Amino acid sequence: MSTQARSDTSAPVEVGQAMLSVRDLTVTFPSADGPIRAVNGMSFDVRPRERLGIVGESGSGKSVTAQALLGLTPRDHTTGSIVFEGEDLLTAPQDRLRALRGWDISYVFQDPLSALDPTRTVGHQVAQPLLLRRVPKKEAHRRAVEMLGEVGIPDPARRARNYPHQFSGGMRQRVMIAMALIGQPRLVIADEPTTALDVRVQAKIIDLLYRLTDEQGVAVVFITHDLGILAGLAERVIVMYAGRVMEECSTDELYYRSIHPYTLGLLESLSRISGPVPERLLTIGGGPPAPSRLPTGCPFHPRCQYVQPECRTTPPPLEVPPGGEHASACLRAAWLAERPGELR
Amino acid sequence: MTTPLLQVRGLVREFGHGPGLVRAVDDVSFDVMQGEALGLVGESGSGKSTTARCVLRLIEPTAGEVRLDGEDVLALGGPALRRLRSTAQLVFQDPYSSLNPRMTVADIIAEGIRIHRPRESSTTVKDEVVDLLELVGLRPDHLTRKPAAFSGGERQRIGIARALALKPKLLVCDEPVASLDVSIQAQILNLFADLRERLDLTLVYIAHDLSTVRHLCGRIAVMQDGKIREIGTREQIYEDPQHEYTRALMAAVPEPDPRSERAKLAARRSAQTTEAGRL
Ligand SMILES: Nc1ncnc2c1ncn2[C@@H]1O[C@H](COP(=O)(O)OP(=O)(O)OP(=O)(O)O)[C@@H](O)[C@H]1O
Ligand SMILES: Nc1ncnc2c1ncn2[C@@H]1O[C@H](COP(=O)(O)OP(=O)(O)O)[C@@H](O)[C@H]1O
Ligand code: SF4
Ligand SMILES: [Mg+2]
Ligand SMILES: [Mg+2]
């Protein structure tokens, strides 16, 4: 693939150093029933070439976080900082954000039908990021066809002339990925890109994202509600609840040695295709809180089986507990760290 | 004892005509015994919902035979068909769109009882509604609320209570947990298991993945392109799948185990280097 001149104000980042640093991010929407606290102080880093997973139940603030990373949340309702390669996206001018989006930072959303324009050919839409950068039309089209081939669309030259409705759900998601990667971004935000798809198609999309990001050295933030999907793809995982980080660590640490009651509960309640069939699945009681009525103290306390009196009043900080290997926002993390991953 | 509660033979349903003809269900046969839970699994478009709708006669099959509780479902009309409709109930996939937003929970659940037993006293109906609510794990103070005030999992419980109000023998569940969070999915799956035990319910449980059915169903049918490719006990399907399609579905289910998932991903990658992945 040819290298393109890009809107380059940034120094190259060293491997290991963060390319994206999110600090104390909050997004609060005003409403008649009082403020909706969708994101409540998220802090995390993304390193170059990294595959980072963010997992959380519906309403935990995943999509709002993704929108914030792309500068798409209303500024007067967003606080904290989002520093991408040295530049704070929350204070950068709007035209600068437009220049970064789809080019340096690109995205794949859950529902490709609403993200694709039904009146334009697939080829045209995939070429769009290049056309916006004044790449000559012929060259942009050639690269779009090449990219459609890369993402596994058979007979790409012919299919580039089709419209989105002529593609199946899985093929449309491939088109979205082609669009996201054609500008050779350094960071891709993928918000539930496989949620509506059948398992076999889902596995192919995961393989594709893995291969392309691996080959092109792109970092991916993969957002999902399904812990199963992240196991093979992610190198590091952040567990979100009520707009906050509950646990953050390497993928193996999370699945084999979690020290947060919420993560342990999520892992427990997954139905699986192997191993013994339990009489009943173990469950987390209740449901996630409404962001307009967040509990005091630890947001998980109304559902937690390890709750103690102080959990109701003291919000647990996200930190590595004594004797632990990774960060957990739980007042009993040190106690759990004596038996990591065991309390399932 | 030995006659199945539900018998389906040679079921066919076609849509469209001429070159646009689709055989959504193509010669499907299966039995479900009283008290059994049968899983019907297949990918999108494989014909699961169409099969379910034919069995409940919400749509007319093109050909085939359906016997429920000894009766020939396709020959029924009028009052007999209404009776059938209370013997077999459908629980829908989408707990959002399947409940009338303007009705209270009490009215939604009572509606079916009133249609089928119009002369029932209102105190009896009310008592039954309260019992049903408790059965599915909701509280009496939920009765006066409208569906919008409930979470997805709670709405699915309301849908289940509504179906149970008619005292059905057979519950056909069309992907009842697909749109719910994992922690809520587990709660609803446990609820189905409880109900089956307590009410001796027979279940046909439709899903597009093989993991949720494994917890609930003793026997599983795998559908592809309108046909049942394989049907067998849980042990047969999960431990010794015979059909290539069953094996492919099984291999694609992601499990919360990084080591084995990475191994699967690597295996798929090396298999794909020879042939470009296709949908
Ligand atoms: N009313 C209809 N008119 C035309 N075609 C239909 C109709 N209903 C279903 N089909 C077609 O029949 C086939 C089977 O559909 P069905 O809804 O039974 O699939 P399914 O297995 O339930 O899939 P999903 O997992 O997506 O719900 C599909 O090809 C579908 O497009
Ligand atoms: N534009 C908005 N106005 C008001 N509330 C919103 C808006 N966008 C999202 N929310 C609320 O913020 C919370 C988090 O939403 P979201 O990030 O979409 O969750 P998810 O983790 O499912 O992606 C939800 O309660 C949602 O209803
Ligand atoms: S802080 Fe308390 S309530 Fe919160 S997860 Fe830990 S033990 Fe449970
Ligand atoms: Mg979302
Ligand atoms: Mg269906």
Side-chain angles (χ1 to χ4, degrees), chain A residues 260-262 298 300-301 304 306-308 311 316 329-332:
Chain A
H260 197 288
Y262 176 57
C298 169
F300 186 57
H301 87 249
C304 182
Y306 305 112
V307 63
Q308 291 185 324
C311 302
C330 171
L331 297 176
R332 305 191 68 184

Side-chain angles (χ1 to χ4, degrees), chain B residues 6-12 28-30 55 61 63-68 71-74:
Chain B
L6 176 68
Q7 265 181 308
V8 177
R9 288 291 172 275
L11 191 70
V12 174
V28 160
S29 303
F30 60 88
V55 165
E65 196 184 318
V66 177
R67 299 190 76 86
L68 179 67
E71 291 202 79
D72 180 353
V73 171
L74 304 181

Side-chain angles (χ1 to χ4, degrees), chain A:
Chain A
M1 204 165 267
S2 60
T3 38
Q4 273 284 287
R6 53 175 69 247
S7 51
D8 211 345
T9 54
S10 52
V13 227
E14 282 169 42
V15 177
Q17 196 185 323
M19 72 185 320
L20 181 77
S21 274
V22 179
R23 289 295 171 269
D24 286 324
L25 178 70
T26 73
V27 183
T28 308
F29 300 102
S31 87
D33 304 331
I36 298 172
R37 301 181 199 284
V39 180
N40 287 295
M42 288 279 289
S43 296
F44 62 92
D45 287 345
V46 185
R47 299 168 200 141
R49 313 183 65 111
E50 179 179 41
R51 288 184 301 275
L52 172 70
I54 298 184
V55 67
E57 289 179 279
S58 120
S60 59
K62 305 181 297 294
S63 295
V64 174
T65 302
Q67 287 156 20
L69 298 186
L70 294 159
L72 296 172
T73 52
R75 279 220 169 144
D76 39 350
H77 300 131
T78 310
T79 66
S81 68
I82 300 175
V83 177
F84 176 69
E85 296 180 344
E87 192 176 0
D88 189 349
L89 303 185
L90 290 185
T91 53
Q94 290 295 345
D95 56 350
R96 175 66 188 141
L97 287 183
R98 274 192 293 276
L100 285 169
R101 263 200 305 267
W103 192 247
D104 302 86
I105 307 178
S106 67
Y107 48 90
V108 182
F109 287 140
Q110 172 168 355
D111 179 8
L113 249 200
S114 62
L116 293 170
D117 181 345
T119 65
R120 286 169 184 273
T121 64
V122 162
H124 182 87
Q125 295 186 64
V126 173
Q128 189 69 12
L130 299 181
L131 295 171
L132 284 173
R133 309 291 142 160
R134 303 203 179 77
V135 173
K137 222 170 151 188
K138 240 183 152 166
E139 163 71 4
H141 185 73
R142 189 190 61 74
R143 298 251 316 270
V145 168
E146 189 181 285
M147 200 65 223
L148 284 169
E150 288 266 319
V151 299
I153 303 285
D155 196 0
R158 187 176 62 82
R159 297 306 300 249
R161 289 192 292 272
N162 284 169
Y163 291 88
H165 75 266
Q166 293 169 285
F167 280 40
S168 71
M171 297 233 287
R172 279 183 216 126
Q173 205 50 278
R174 285 175 189 241
V175 171
M176 285 293 292
I177 293 174
M179 240 162 105
L181 290 172
I182 198 165
Q184 294 183 289
R186 294 191 291 293
L187 175 63
V188 177
I189 316 275
D191 186 5
E192 309 229 23
T194 63
T195 297
L197 304 174
D198 278 322
V199 281
R200 287 187 308 164
V201 185
Q202 180 173 295
K204 290 194 164 164
I205 298 292
I206 296 286
D207 293 351
L208 176 66
L209 267 175
Y210 185 97
R211 178 171 65 80
L212 293 179
T213 53
D214 195 47
E215 284 169 5
Q216 296 190 13
V218 184
V220 198
V221 176
F222 191 100
I223 298 173
T224 176
H225 67 272
D226 182 355
L227 268 171
I229 287 192
L230 288 180
L233 181 79
E235 294 159 305
R236 208 156 53 89
V237 179
I238 288 174
V239 178
M240 255 186 106
Y241 191 78
R244 289 186 217 175
V245 178
M246 291 287 114
E247 190 169 16
E248 181 194 333
C249 53
S250 75
T251 306
D252 286 22
E253 279 282 303
L254 190 91
Y255 288 81
Y256 302 132
R257 292 178 292 279
S258 165
I259 52 170
H260 197 288
Y262 176 57
T263 312
L264 290 164
L266 278 184
L267 287 169
E268 219 161 51
S269 50
L270 282 174
S271 45
R272 312 187 44 160
I273 55 154
S274 61
V277 185
E279 189 86 351
R280 294 172 63 84
L281 284 159
L282 293 166
T283 63
I284 309 174
S292 52
R293 278 185 311 252
L294 291 180
T296 55
C298 169
F300 186 57
H301 87 249
R303 304 174 74 190
C304 182
Q305 53 175 321
Y306 305 112
V307 63
Q308 291 185 324
E310 61 268 33
C311 302
R312 301 196 173 90
T313 50
T314 314
L318 178 70
E319 58 190 22
V320 181
E325 300 286 326
H326 66 260
S328 164
C330 171
L331 297 176
R332 305 191 68 184
W335 173 72
L336 287 161
E338 290 169 18
R339 43 187 79 67
E342 267 175 35
L343 295 173
R344 296 219 201 156

Side-chain angles (χ1 to χ4, degrees), chain B residues 166-181:
Chain B
L166 302 172
K167 299 194 167 56
K169 291 184 180 164
L170 174 70
L171 211 54
V172 179
C173 314
D174 193 354
E175 308 217 32
V177 303
S179 61
L180 304 175
D181 273 320

